[in-house]
Amino acid sequence: MSNPRAARYRRLALQEPDSQKAKLLQLIADEADRGVLCTAQLIKPRVHVEPPANAGQS
């Protein structure tokens, strides 16, 4: 258990009163230990700005 994310999920599983949620948290912790847990990162959407049609023309 070298993954800090796995340790966090295991702690949450121990504190969870609902057994189904605790089981799910344990499965997530196992995936984190194996290195197969993927998470999405919040990325700010970039606004694409088109240059004016006459840009670069004199």
Side-chain angles (χ1 to χ4, degrees):
M1 184 167 56
S2 62
N3 192 329
R5 181 174 284 157
R8 182 178 45 193
Y9 283 121
R10 290 191 201 288
R11 276 194 309 271
L12 287 172
L14 290 173
Q15 296 172 354
E16 181 60 50
D18 183 13
S19 64
Q20 291 295 322
K21 288 181 184 178
K23 186 176 180 180
L24 180 60
L25 288 166
Q26 285 289 342
L27 288 173
I28 292 171
D30 291 342
E31 287 186 358
D33 272 339
R34 288 194 318 260
V36 295
L37 178 64
C38 296
T39 59
Q41 294 180 354
L42 179 61
I43 299 174
K44 287 180 154 182
R46 293 193 295 176
V47 178
H48 181 71
V49 179
E50 291 287 329
N54 60 359
Q57 296 176 356
S58 300

